[in-house]
């Protein structure tokens, strides 16, 4: 998954491409669709689905005016650009959809998009863009021009560093068109989030609201803590998060879902990490027999 952010750009020009192949090993249910069996309103295994080899990213990125303005054009995942959160990478941090993608946002998937980045001051930034809602990992960019159904977004924030740690506070406003062929409605919403590192501890708090039923939730609140450099190990990380979500379709779902996720990422070497975790779900609206569900996970990651 592409997790490059314009705020961290050091060079002026990027040409980025990436392929992925995701497949199951010894199971008929992949982690990303397991939530359909346990009754959760959102996936408990983000980024661990299944598809054949696909070109996920192919884009051009250019920065100008000493990094005060930038633009990205091509195929990429909007989630990788907007709604900044230090622990949002589901392959290395929180894996539950509620902490990585926020289920009150009707995100577009990999597809043609255009995003621009403006930095009015040293500490402030504005990202805004338009993205194809009918694309996908194994689809091209033609639907951006033919279907003309878009996910549009403005994301503005404050990003700075103090002697005791870095801080990010931002608000994201989004709108998605109704998709005629897919039969999904229009929607719009706002997300307000903040995090403040204090030494090795990273508290965070997030709120999201959606007007419509394009996403699963109308209201969502989450918060938690990240603990960095666990036991003095530079790259080890512990995360604990609590979330509450109110379904957008109240006629169909009458209970609000609560979730807790805890994980521990251990680096066995510079290249290899192993993350164990547990997600606890209270009152899963799609489960008619159980009031409580627990999902255990173990993830391995090797990168050069």
């Amino acid at each position: 998954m592409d997790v490059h952010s314009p705020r961290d750009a050091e060079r002026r020009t990027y040409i980025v491409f990436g392929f992925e192949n995701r497949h199951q090993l010894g199971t008929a249910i992949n982690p990303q669709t397991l939530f359909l069996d346990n009754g959760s309103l959102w996936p408990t295994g983000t980024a661990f689905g299944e598809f054949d080899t696909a070109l996920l990213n192919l884009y051009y990125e250019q920065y100008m005016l000493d990094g005060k303005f930038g633009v990205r054009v091509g195929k990429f995942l909007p989630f990788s650009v907007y709604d900044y959160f230090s622990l949002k990478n589901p392959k290395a941090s929180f894996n539950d959809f509620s902490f990585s993608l926020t289920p009150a946002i009707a995100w577009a998937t990999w597809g043609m998009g255009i995003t621009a980045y403006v930095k009015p001051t040293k500490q402030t930034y504005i990202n805004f863009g338009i993205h194809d809602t009918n694309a996908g990992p194994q689809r091209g960019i033609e639907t951006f021009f033919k279907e003309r159904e878009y996910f549009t977004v403005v994301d503005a924030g404050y990003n700075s560093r103090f002697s005791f740690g870095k801080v990010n506070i931002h608000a994201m406003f989004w709108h998605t068109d109704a998709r005629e062929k897919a039969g999904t409605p229009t929607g719009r919403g706002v997300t307000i989030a903040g995090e403040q590192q204090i030494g090795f501890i990273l508290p965070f708090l997030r709120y999201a609201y959606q007007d419509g039923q394009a996403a699963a939730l109308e209201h969502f609140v989450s918060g938690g803590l990240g603990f960095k450099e666990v036991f003095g190990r530079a790259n080890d990380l512990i995360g604990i998060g609590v979330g509450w979500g109110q379904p957008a379709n109240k006629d169909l779902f009458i209970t609000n879902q609560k979730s807790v996720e805890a994980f521990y990422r251990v680096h066995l070497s510079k290249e290899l990490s192993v993350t164990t975790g547990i997600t606890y779900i209270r009152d899963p609206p799609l489960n008619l027999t159980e009031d409580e569900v627990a999902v255990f996970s173990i993830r391995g990651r090797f990168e050069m």
Side-chain angles (χ1 to χ4, degrees):
M1 177 176 295
D2 169 36
V3 293
H4 170 65
S5 168
R7 285 180 298 281
D8 301 321
E10 296 179 357
R11 291 169 289 181
R12 293 180 178 271
T13 303
Y14 297 85
I15 296 177
V16 178
F17 67 92
F19 293 87
E20 276 196 29
N21 181 294
R22 302 182 183 181
H23 57 89
Q24 298 167 192
L25 288 174
T27 177
I29 304 174
N30 64 65
Q32 188 156 310
T33 59
L34 180 62
F35 78 104
L36 297 174
D37 281 32
N38 63 37
S40 172
L41 265 181
W42 56 75
T44 53
T46 313
F48 289 89
E50 181 185 28
F51 52 74
D52 293 331
T53 302
L55 177 64
L56 298 187
N57 297 298
L58 179 59
Y59 61 82
Y60 169 82
E61 192 167 274
Q62 177 69 56
Y63 291 92
M64 296 160 276
L65 303 176
D66 294 326
K68 295 179 180 179
F69 176 78
V71 63
R72 178 188 290 189
V73 180
K75 183 178 180 179
F76 58 94
L77 189 66
F79 148 76
S80 67
V81 177
Y82 312 107
D83 193 25
Y84 175 79
F85 177 36
S86 296
L87 307 179
K88 76 182 293 184
N89 185 345
K91 293 182 179 178
S93 301
F94 286 107
N95 194 225
D96 191 87
F97 196 95
S98 62
F99 300 107
S100 57
L101 272 79
T102 306
I105 302 174
W107 290 106
T109 185
W110 285 280
M112 176 65 187
I114 303 170
T115 184
Y117 165 76
V118 179
K119 195 171 184 180
T121 68
K122 186 177 180 180
Q123 289 82 25
T124 59
Y125 62 89
I126 304 173
N127 292 337
F128 50 94
I130 181 170
H131 304 270
D132 185 9
T133 61
N134 292 297
Q138 295 177 299
R139 303 189 70 178
I141 64 173
E142 65 278 0
T143 51
F144 183 90
F145 306 98
K146 291 182 179 180
E147 303 294 339
R148 295 193 293 276
E149 294 169 349
Y150 303 117
F151 174 82
T152 52
V153 57
V154 177
D155 185 12
Y158 172 83
N159 195 49
S160 189
R161 182 180 293 274
F162 300 98
S163 59
F164 49 85
K166 64 180 181 179
V167 60
N168 177 272
I169 302 171
H170 70 270
M172 182 181 118
F173 304 87
W174 60 271
H175 176 274
T176 187
D177 294 334
R179 298 169 59 196
E180 182 177 355
K181 293 182 179 179
T184 58
T186 185
R188 59 185 177 181
V190 58
T191 298
I192 301 172
E195 60 178 54
Q196 170 66 70
Q197 185 173 334
I198 305 172
F200 301 138
I201 302 175
L202 181 70
F204 65 88
L205 183 63
R206 306 169 62 80
Y207 169 73
Y209 166 75
Q210 176 202 194
D211 179 17
Q213 296 184 10
L217 301 182
E218 179 179 2
H219 295 279
F220 179 72
V221 180
S222 67
L225 297 169
F227 300 90
K228 300 183 176 182
E229 301 185 31
V230 180
F231 302 123
R233 297 169 57 89
N235 296 313
D236 288 7
L237 175 68
I238 290 177
I240 302 173
V242 179
W244 172 91
Q246 182 182 78
N249 190 336
K250 300 182 184 64
D251 295 330
L252 186 61
F253 306 111
I254 60 174
T255 60
N256 301 323
Q257 182 168 313
K258 304 92 177 175
S259 65
V260 179
E261 181 182 1
F263 70 87
Y264 184 12
R265 187 183 74 208
V266 178
H267 280 256
L268 304 180
S269 67
K270 182 179 179 181
E271 298 83 10
L272 177 63
S273 66
V274 176
T275 305
T276 56
I278 180 173
T279 298
Y280 167 79
I281 303 169
R282 177 71 182 178
D283 298 325
L286 296 173
N287 194 323
L288 302 180
T289 60
E290 301 290 340
D291 293 330
E292 300 174 300
V293 174
V295 179
F296 298 89
S297 66
I298 181 168
R299 291 168 275 162
R301 181 177 175 87
F302 180 82
E303 56 182 340
M304 301 294 291

